[in-house]
Amino acid sequence: MTEIHAPTPRDAFELLMAGNQRFVSGTPEHPNQDATRRTEIAPSQQPFAVLFGCSDSRLAAEIIFDRGLGDLFVVRTAGHVAGTEVLGSIEFGVSVLNAPLVVVLGHDSCGAVAAACSALKDGQTPGGFVRDVVERVTPSVLAARAAGRDTAEEILAEHIEHTVDLLLERSRVLTERVAAGRLGVVGLSYRLADGSAQFVAARGLDTPVSTGC
């Protein structure tokens, strides 16, 4: 089942969320996962969204949004922390592949967020490069607490929105496309138990469609 590359940020967002609703309801269509699609996109790709999410093994993007080959340009790091390589990858998906949507996908029970909370509580951070991940999440935890938002759900939402804003603050490519109406940047929070992706924040989109339960 082949679908036309979504021409607008709104179209792309609705296409993505429709797939998540199918996944939640247990009626996936598994589009664009056959040999015909594989052959069709071998010469080039036109993903309708760049998905920047946490590396958690339970966040397999094409599964939870019921998509297939060539649909999503996926970038993932623990705690969806964004360094220069991440920014370059996202900009590639937007400026070279012309994806009209960037999605920041966080989730409940995130180990990176929990580790940042623990580090602030007991003053101990992990060793190695895991420390860098925790330190990049820490500003979100501090900002949430400063605003009186101290539940796990509120801290996660703060981190997702912080990441959305960080991408736009650091990338002129993204900012210019949002300003021109050619790109939407959306933050979603995934619920592990029911599989739904909940709206958190958006830049460059109007009021979002229903995002599940």
Side-chain angles (χ1 to χ4, degrees):
M1 173 181 169
T2 301
E3 294 180 10
I4 298 174
H5 175 65
T8 70
R10 180 68 176 187
D11 290 339
F13 182 69
E14 292 182 353
L15 189 59
L16 191 75
M17 297 313 301
N20 180 246
Q21 289 172 1
R22 293 194 300 271
F23 174 67
V24 171
S25 66
T27 57
E29 296 176 356
H30 305 294
N32 298 332
Q33 296 184 20
D34 57 14
T36 300
R37 175 66 167 179
R38 183 184 68 221
T39 302
E40 178 185 66
I41 65 171
S44 63
Q45 58 174 321
Q46 282 190 309
F48 69 81
V50 175
L51 193 142
F52 174 39
C54 181
S55 296
D56 193 291
S57 62
R58 297 163 290 185
L59 262 69
E62 286 84 359
I63 294 177
I64 65 178
F65 290 107
D66 191 30
R67 299 311 312 174
L69 297 172
D71 289 332
L72 305 176
F73 188 77
V74 181
V75 182
R76 297 172 67 183
T77 64
H80 55 84
V81 298
T84 55
E85 298 89 349
V86 166
L87 288 164
S89 298
I90 293 173
E91 286 189 352
F92 181 86
V94 170
S95 63
V96 178
L97 302 180
N98 291 311
L101 181 70
V102 172
V103 176
V104 174
L105 182 67
H107 66 99
D108 55 5
S109 300
C110 178
V113 173
C117 291
S118 295
L120 287 171
K121 181 179 180 181
D122 59 29
Q124 296 183 354
T125 56
F129 289 106
V130 176
R131 181 189 187 99
D132 185 63
V133 173
V134 172
E135 289 178 344
R136 288 172 185 245
V137 176
T138 299
S140 298
V141 179
L142 292 172
R145 290 179 174 174
R149 308 171 69 196
D150 55 7
T151 68
E153 183 176 359
E154 289 172 332
I155 292 172
L156 172 62
E158 178 69 33
H159 183 46
I160 293 169
E161 186 161 11
H162 174 77
T163 304
V164 168
D165 289 337
L166 180 66
L167 295 182
L168 292 170
E169 288 168 6
R170 298 189 64 187
S171 173
R172 179 178 293 182
V173 170
L174 302 189
T175 301
E176 290 179 348
R177 292 211 171 200
V178 168
R182 299 169 59 193
L183 178 71
V185 183
V186 177
L188 299 176
S189 179
Y190 180 74
R191 293 179 178 174
L192 295 172
D194 65 20
S196 65
Q198 303 291 317
F199 175 80
V200 174
R203 309 290 182 263
L205 284 180
D206 55 7
T207 305
V209 294
S210 172
T211 57
C213 305

